[in-house]
Amino acid sequence: MSVPHGLALQERLMNKGTAVPWQAGMDMSGWYPVSVAHGADAIDVHWRDMGETRFSDSFFENTLARQPREQRRTCRTPLAALAQFNDGLPPDAFIFHVSRCGSTLLTQMLATLPHCVVMSEPPIIDALLRLHHDSSTIDSIALLRSAMLALGQRRFGDESHYVIKFDCWHIHSLDLIRQAFPGTPCLFLYREPQAVLASHQRQRGPQMVPGMLHPALLPLPDHALAPGDLDGYAALVLASLYAAAHHHAAAGKLLLINYQQLPDIVFSDVLQRLGIGPTTGQLHAMRERSGRHAKYGTVFHGDQHGAAAGPLKAIAASLQPGYAALEALRIRHTQQQSRQDL
């Protein structure tokens, strides 16, 4: 059985629309998997027909919400229906991150390119990862691969590149995810702890609230935090993300990117790494997008987190070694690459 989680309501809202009955052999082009559901005798997939609506918003769910209500159609299929998608674009890059660290800015810059499909935190991935831990009768790798191919559909004829940004806690599932596409490069964006914690103080992400996520997807050490100590809990989560990223980066599985390297590293490294060659006009559009707020599209004047209060400052200081270890590893890898390029 699926463990209840705090994202269930969000998934139900995304699944609202005019129901279309599924039939075997039905053409699912233009339909996107959103979530999975446990029926009486089987596991089903919920889909949304996106018609002509492009995925250009900061997050997958925002594009679904932007679609006009009269165009929203839903379909519920057997889990096996995912397997019919085998000709979607294979992903050019996987983006992992610690949250509030510029990952949305990166994906929004890439989303300005008409030939680049960008999927930002599609909920079907989290649904399948939960299913992986709840069911012993499924082929998790095959399902993840099929879901990613379904998300990488060519709908407009000019798509040639494809990037997936995962939820921040999915760094703990990196080894499983990589098995779906072993050759796909993985990027990891991170930021110094005080800025991340201050951002979550203003508006907490679901991972920073106890009980919101499937426990297997966010493994945390035993702790004795008070129930209302959300800053303390956020510190545990952030520490786990730093540690998991360091483990994978030290094994050569991640390209590390510091928030401070944005947006310049997109033009100096990321585009070439992904084999993307934008036109002059497209580069201008990317630079223009980099000057606006990643999530809201307004002119960006810098983060206004200010000086941290005593407790938050102390918590951030306790996380500094994990952040510093990532920085040291990134700098060492950069130096090694520079020597190889000589």
Side-chain angles (χ1 to χ4, degrees):
M1 293 295 292
S2 178
V3 176
H5 60 96
L7 304 181
L9 175 59
Q10 177 192 59
E11 291 179 358
R12 287 199 296 270
L13 291 175
M14 287 188 285
N15 292 329
K16 285 190 172 182
T18 302
V20 176
W22 178 80
Q23 296 179 349
M26 176 178 169
D27 182 9
M28 297 296 289
S29 300
W31 291 83
Y32 286 77
V34 174
S35 64
V36 297
H38 290 260
D41 303 309
I43 302 171
D44 295 334
V45 181
H46 286 287
W47 302 71
R48 277 276 297 270
D49 179 8
M50 296 310 297
E52 297 299 311
T53 303
R54 284 184 179 265
F55 282 92
S56 59
D57 299 270
S58 299
F59 299 99
F60 184 95
E61 64 184 83
N62 296 143
T63 294
L64 266 62
R66 176 168 56 83
Q67 186 182 36
R69 291 184 180 275
E70 65 274 11
Q71 296 179 15
R72 299 180 190 179
R73 300 198 304 159
T74 66
C75 188
R76 184 164 175 163
T77 76
L79 193 60
L82 265 177
Q84 77 178 74
F85 281 97
N86 54 22
D87 61 348
L89 289 167
D92 291 285
F94 291 151
I95 298 175
F96 297 88
H97 57 100
V98 298
S99 78
R100 315 299 169 85
C101 60
S103 60
T104 303
L105 172 63
L106 171 57
T107 54
Q108 279 290 280
M109 291 173 67
L110 294 174
T112 66
L113 301 172
H115 54 286
C116 191
V117 176
V118 178
M119 287 290 144
S120 182
E121 302 181 9
I124 186 63
I125 302 297
D126 197 70
L128 291 175
L129 291 174
R130 295 194 306 266
L131 188 62
H132 168 75
H133 292 285
D134 291 343
S135 175
S136 59
T137 63
I138 63 168
D139 185 342
S140 300
I141 306 306
L143 288 172
L144 283 168
R145 181 178 177 84
S146 294
M148 292 181 201
L149 289 172
L151 293 170
Q153 296 178 56
R154 300 178 180 91
R155 285 192 294 146
F156 302 98
D158 51 0
E159 299 95 334
S160 57
H161 292 84
Y162 173 32
V163 173
I164 304 175
K165 184 182 81 151
F166 295 90
D167 288 298
C168 67
W169 56 91
H170 292 162
I171 187 62
H172 290 293
S173 303
L174 181 138
D175 284 335
L176 178 65
I177 290 169
R178 289 183 77 243
Q179 290 182 62
F181 287 96
T184 299
C186 297
L187 285 57
F188 185 83
L189 282 79
Y190 63 101
R191 191 180 186 184
E192 59 93 6
Q194 182 171 309
V196 177
L197 293 175
S199 178
H200 281 289
Q201 251 194 358
R202 295 193 300 273
Q203 183 178 2
R204 298 192 187 273
Q207 73 276 17
M208 300 304 190
V209 180
M212 286 289 286
L213 303 182
H214 192 300
L217 298 186
L218 185 59
L220 297 176
D222 293 334
H223 58 84
L225 294 174
D229 187 3
L230 295 181
D231 288 336
Y233 185 81
L236 284 177
V237 172
L238 186 53
S240 79
L241 303 180
Y242 284 150
H246 188 276
H247 169 75
H248 291 305
K253 301 175 184 176
L254 292 174
L255 170 69
L256 298 175
I257 298 177
N258 191 304
Y259 171 83
Q260 296 178 347
Q261 295 177 276
L262 295 171
D264 293 345
I265 195 172
V266 178
F267 304 104
S268 65
D269 183 283
V270 173
L271 289 175
Q272 182 178 2
R273 189 177 295 272
L274 301 185
I276 299 176
T279 65
T280 300
Q282 290 168 350
L283 283 172
H284 177 77
M286 292 181 72
R287 293 189 185 280
E288 193 277 334
R289 184 63 184 87
S290 72
R292 290 185 278 127
H293 196 287
K295 294 180 175 63
Y296 309 122
T298 54
V299 177
F300 183 63
H301 298 292
D303 290 308
Q304 306 298 316
H305 56 264
L312 188 63
K313 187 175 182 179
I315 292 172
S318 71
L319 298 175
Q320 197 64 26
Y323 169 78
L326 276 178
E327 268 294 85
L329 191 58
R330 178 184 67 82
I331 292 171
R332 183 161 69 249
H333 286 173
T334 300
Q335 292 172 340
Q336 291 172 349
Q337 186 62 50
S338 296
R339 287 195 292 268
Q340 292 174 7
D341 293 339
L342 291 178

